[in-house]
């Protein structure tokens, strides 16, 4: 498996095995939460390193590629565990939008920072410690838009580009997966508003380097952090926080 772990299908299978072995309690909390208060699953990077070192390194090196695969694996793990239960659907429900959150990155200066990251860190998964100096209002963000091809009748989605402030580009041709691409340029939004788009809550906060960790005379820098879904309204000005996420 280790020789092929970079393959997305193999990686996703390994992720599901990890979640079922190390995060069973968290998956049960997702399934049996009836108030939608539990919408994320935390994974410990140290445990992932213990389970499969190569998979952990791929996640650190290419988080934008492998974090979405972890979300898919989380969905598969929920469905697998639900099949093993005998309770009704009203009590045990699969959370389609559950997000995997990475915690406890290795204590290495390249991964855990007290200084604001620079342009050379774009695309990396890092933990940043700082003080919240501003919190914005909670707003709604469109994560993707679904289109229907008028030629092949297939359906495909276009994701928002985080680097472009969540702008969703208009597709130039049909993106329906399959061996035969129709390459049509005629497509329309999905029939219903519920199917055509998906919105989530988000909030922008600004964190600043902690003055006590800087050398004398250094001016503290700040960075904007975007919180999504269940992370909104979790921090207020003056809080000392550690944020783990992808630099964009």
């Amino acid at each position: 498996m280790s020789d092929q772990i970079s393959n997305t299908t193999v990686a996703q299978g390994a992720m599901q095995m990890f979640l079922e072995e190390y995060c069973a309690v968290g998956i049960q909390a997702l399934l049996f939460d009836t108030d939608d208060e539990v919408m994320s699953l935390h994974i410990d990077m140290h445990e992932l390193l213990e389970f499969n070192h190569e998979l952990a390194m791929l996640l650190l090196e290419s988080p934008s590629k492998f974090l979405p695969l972890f979300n898919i694996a989380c969905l598969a793990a929920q469905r697998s565990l639900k099949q093993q239960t005998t309770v009704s659907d009203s009590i045990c429900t699969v959370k389609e939008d559950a997000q995997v959150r990475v915690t406890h990155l290795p204590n290495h200066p390249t991964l855990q920072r007290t200084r604001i990251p620079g342009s050379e860190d774009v695309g990396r998964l890092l933990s940043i410690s700082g003080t919240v100096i501003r919190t914005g209002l909670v707003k709604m963000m469109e994560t993707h838009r679904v289109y229907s091809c008028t030629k092949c009748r297939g359906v495909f989605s276009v994701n928002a580009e985080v680097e472009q402030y969540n702008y969703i580009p208009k597709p130039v041709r049909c993106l329906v997966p399959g061996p035969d691409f129709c390459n049509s340029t005629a497509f329309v939004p999905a029939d219903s508003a519920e199917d055509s788009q998906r919105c989530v809550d988000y909030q922008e906060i600004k964190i600043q380097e902690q003055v006590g960790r800087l050398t004398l005379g250094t001016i503290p820098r700040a960075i904007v952090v975007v919180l999504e879904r269940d992370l909104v309204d979790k921090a207020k000005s003056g809080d000392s926080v550690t944020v783990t996420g992808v630099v964009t």
Side-chain angles (χ1 to χ4, degrees), residues 20-240:
E20 292 175 349
E21 181 176 344
Y22 286 83
C23 306
V25 174
I27 295 174
Q28 289 179 347
L30 282 172
L31 289 173
F32 289 97
D33 175 59
T34 56
D35 299 323
D36 288 340
E37 294 181 356
V38 181
M39 291 301 295
S40 59
L41 179 66
H42 292 186
I43 64 171
D44 191 314
M45 182 57 72
H46 290 92
E47 292 180 343
L48 183 58
L49 283 166
E50 175 185 326
F51 174 78
N52 190 313
H53 183 272
E54 187 176 356
L55 179 61
M57 294 308 298
L58 287 173
L59 178 60
L60 290 173
E61 294 170 359
S62 304
S64 297
K65 175 182 178 180
F66 288 94
L67 272 176
L69 291 180
F70 250 120
N71 292 334
I72 298 174
C74 177
L75 185 60
Q78 288 184 75
R79 290 170 175 165
S80 176
L81 186 59
K82 182 181 179 181
Q83 291 178 351
Q84 303 174 28
T85 64
T86 56
V87 298
S88 64
D89 290 342
S90 61
I91 299 176
C92 180
T93 58
V94 173
K95 306 301 186 297
E96 302 281 346
D97 294 329
Q99 300 291 303
V100 170
R101 312 282 190 197
V102 181
T103 64
H104 302 114
L105 296 188
N107 188 18
H108 192 277
T110 60
L111 298 175
Q112 295 199 22
R113 307 287 185 86
T114 57
R115 301 299 309 273
I116 297 302
S119 58
E120 68 278 4
D121 296 312
V122 171
R124 294 182 179 177
L125 181 65
L126 303 175
S127 285
I128 307 170
S129 297
T131 302
V132 180
I133 60 174
R134 179 175 61 82
T135 58
L137 298 174
V138 177
K139 302 177 182 178
M140 283 197 305
M141 173 181 67
E142 189 177 1
T143 59
H144 68 270
R145 194 172 297 159
V146 180
Y147 291 90
S148 175
C149 179
T150 58
K151 180 179 179 181
C152 68
R153 303 299 180 183
V155 175
F156 62 93
S157 65
V158 180
N159 294 326
E161 297 180 353
V162 178
E163 297 83 358
Q164 301 298 326
Y165 302 97
N166 298 301
Y167 169 73
I168 301 180
K170 184 177 180 180
V172 295
R173 63 176 180 83
C174 177
L175 300 175
V176 175
D180 299 321
F181 295 100
C182 70
N183 286 323
S184 171
T185 58
F187 31 78
V188 294
D191 295 335
S192 66
E194 181 179 356
D195 292 335
S196 66
Q197 60 184 0
R198 178 68 60 84
C199 295
V200 298
D201 292 335
Y202 83 100
Q203 179 187 31
E204 291 186 356
I205 66 172
K206 180 177 283 189
I207 64 172
Q208 180 179 273
E209 296 168 340
Q210 296 172 330
V211 178
R213 296 188 175 186
L214 302 177
T215 57
L216 186 63
T218 303
I219 299 176
R221 297 178 299 173
I223 189 173
V224 174
V225 177
V226 179
L227 307 177
E228 297 180 7
R229 297 177 170 85
D230 57 328
L231 295 182
V232 302
D233 276 342
K234 296 298 185 182
K236 61 182 183 297
S237 295
D239 287 350
S240 294

